[in-house]
C-alpha cells in the first residue's frame, strides 16, 4: 500500500488543522493505520491509531481530547484541535496488517510526512 499525507501548515496556538492520508494499492481497509509525529531533533512518536474496522482507537496522552483519528475507505484522517506549540512536528501516516499498536517498528508502510507548525 502507498500512502500520501497532506494537510499540514502554519496555525496559531488554539487553532485547528485536519490532516489526510490517501492510500493506494492493496486494500487499505485491511490495514491497521496510525499517525506518528517527529519534532526537530526528536524521535518519531506515536500519536494515534485506528483498527481495521475503525471501531477501536488509541491516542497518546499528550493529544487525548484534542485529536481525533478516523478512516473512510482509502482515507485516514487526523482532526487536530486546540493546537499547542509543542504539537509542531512532521506528521506521518502509517499502516500495517497486525493489530493496533503504538510501536513504530511494527508499521511497514509510511507516508512522506506533512509539516505542522503551531505558533505561540
Amino acid at each position: 500500500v502507498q500512502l500520501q499525507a497532506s494537510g499540514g501548515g502554519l496555525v496559531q496556538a488554539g487553532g485547528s488543522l485536519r490532516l489526510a492520508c490517501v492510500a493506494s494499492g492493496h486494500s487499505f481497509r485491511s490495514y491497521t493505520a496510525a499517525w506518528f509525529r517527529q519534532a526537530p531533533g526528536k524521535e518519531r512518536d506515536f500519536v494515534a491509531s485506528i483498527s481495521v474496522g475503525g471501531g477501536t482507537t488509541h491516542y497518546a496522552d499528550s493529544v487525548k481530547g484534542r485529536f481525533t483519528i478516523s478512516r473512510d475507505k482509502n482515507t485516514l484522517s487526523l482532526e487536530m484541535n486546540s493546537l499547542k506549540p509543542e504539537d509542531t512536528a512532521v506528521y506521518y501516516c502509517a499502516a500495517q496488517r497486525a493489530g493496533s499498536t503504538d510501536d513504530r517498528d511494527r508499521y511497514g508502510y509510511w507516508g512522506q510526512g506533512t509539516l505542522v507548525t503551531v505558533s505561540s
Side-chain angles (χ1 to χ4, degrees):
V1 64
Q2 293 81 44
L3 305 173
Q4 180 77 31
S6 63
L10 174 63
V11 63
Q12 289 188 332
S16 299
L17 277 176
R18 184 178 181 90
L19 305 183
C21 177
V22 177
S24 59
H26 294 287
S27 177
F28 182 59
R29 297 177 185 180
S30 63
Y31 289 76
T32 295
W35 289 95
F36 289 77
R37 66 186 181 185
Q38 187 167 18
K42 295 188 177 181
E43 294 187 345
R44 191 171 299 187
D45 292 331
F46 171 78
V47 174
S49 67
I50 188 166
S51 62
V52 168
T56 301
T57 57
H58 296 283
Y59 296 91
D61 288 343
S62 59
V63 306
K64 279 181 182 177
R66 300 188 298 120
F67 290 13
T68 302
I69 188 172
S70 62
R71 66 188 305 168
D72 179 33
K73 296 181 180 178
N74 286 340
T75 301
L76 176 72
S77 299
L78 186 68
E79 182 74 30
M80 304 186 295
N81 298 314
S82 302
L83 283 162
K84 304 174 181 179
E86 51 263 44
D87 294 319
T88 295
V90 177
Y91 283 71
Y92 297 88
C93 54
Q96 49 99 5
R97 284 192 174 274
S100 294
T101 176
D102 61 0
D103 182 353
R104 65 177 182 267
D105 292 335
R106 298 281 299 276
Y107 289 84
Y109 303 93
W110 292 86
Q112 85 288 3
T114 185
L115 177 62
V116 173
T117 303
V118 184
S119 63
S120 57

